[in-house]
Amino acid sequence: MSKAEVKTNAMRILDKNKILYQVNTYECDEFIDGVHIADKMNQPYEISFKTLVAVGKSKEHYVFAIPVDKEIDFKKAAKVVGEKSIELVSVKDIQGLTGYIRGGCTPIGMKKLFQTIVQESAKEHEKIIVSGGKLGTQLELNPDDLLKVVRGEYGDVIS
């Protein structure tokens, strides 16, 4: 079995839910930001999404999927999830919390099902790209299917 054929937890969940997706792979040994990966793969930024994990004042955790070239607007994001304020989780805490490493973090199949918000611009596209659950792997899928599997919702959370 080649490296490309090894299924990640995210892929198994999509398979189980009979959701169509395409796997894209690229060479990567360490974290590379999403803009550089999109450039490397000739993918438009508006369909390439990064996954951010945040914690609110209430200590609840939230997942945000936003285009790779955008920044989260913490006030908007907090309002969307009903928090007074939120902040990103420390990189050192990502794996323990989600089961994924930085650069391989996907909204699909985290250790726990967190409230997930996908930037509403995703609705404009037939397919979006998110991490596949490990470095060097991406999943291309319909944004409505992503919402279905993570029980998420669309929201405007970027500046």
Side-chain angles (χ1 to χ4, degrees):
M1 183 183 272
S2 77
K3 189 174 161 186
E5 291 169 330
V6 175
K7 296 247 178 187
T8 64
N9 194 37
M11 292 175 209
R12 286 189 288 275
I13 289 168
L14 292 173
D15 289 344
K16 188 175 141 205
N17 286 278
K18 295 178 175 43
I19 290 175
L20 295 175
Y21 64 95
Q22 176 184 320
V23 177
N24 302 327
T25 59
Y26 55 93
E27 283 302 311
C28 180
D29 296 324
E30 57 190 40
F31 172 76
I32 304 171
D33 70 74
V35 168
H36 284 92
I37 294 166
D39 289 343
K40 182 179 186 170
M41 302 288 286
N42 290 323
Q43 297 163 336
Y45 297 158
E46 58 270 10
I47 67 162
S48 303
F49 281 64
K50 60 186 172 185
T51 303
L52 302 174
V53 182
V55 62
K57 269 258 189 271
S58 68
K59 302 292 181 224
E60 286 296 315
H61 290 90
Y62 305 94
V63 176
F64 298 93
I66 67 172
V68 294
D69 64 331
K70 303 294 184 207
E71 294 300 323
I72 191 165
D73 180 316
F74 291 101
K75 281 192 169 120
K76 281 185 182 177
K79 189 174 180 183
V80 166
V81 296
E83 285 277 359
K84 283 197 184 338
S85 66
I86 62 164
E87 63 185 29
L88 292 181
V89 169
S90 166
V91 170
K92 67 178 175 42
D93 297 330
I94 293 285
Q95 189 170 9
L97 189 63
T98 67
Y100 294 119
I101 63 168
R102 180 182 189 205
C105 192
T106 178
I108 307 162
M110 291 188 174
K111 285 183 173 180
K112 201 176 148 198
L113 192 59
F114 298 112
Q115 184 176 349
T116 301
I117 307 297
V118 176
Q119 176 57 32
E120 63 189 11
S121 62
K123 287 191 276 195
E124 301 163 16
H125 305 286
E126 175 128 345
K127 291 196 179 330
I128 62 169
I129 299 165
V130 295
S131 173
K134 66 180 182 183
L135 291 177
T137 305
Q138 299 176 323
L139 299 174
E140 206 169 313
L141 72 165
N142 180 282
D144 291 339
D145 287 341
L146 172 62
L147 286 189
K148 194 178 351 173
V149 78
V150 299
R151 296 196 204 125
E153 58 191 271
Y154 291 114
D156 181 19
V157 295
I158 59 175
S159 38

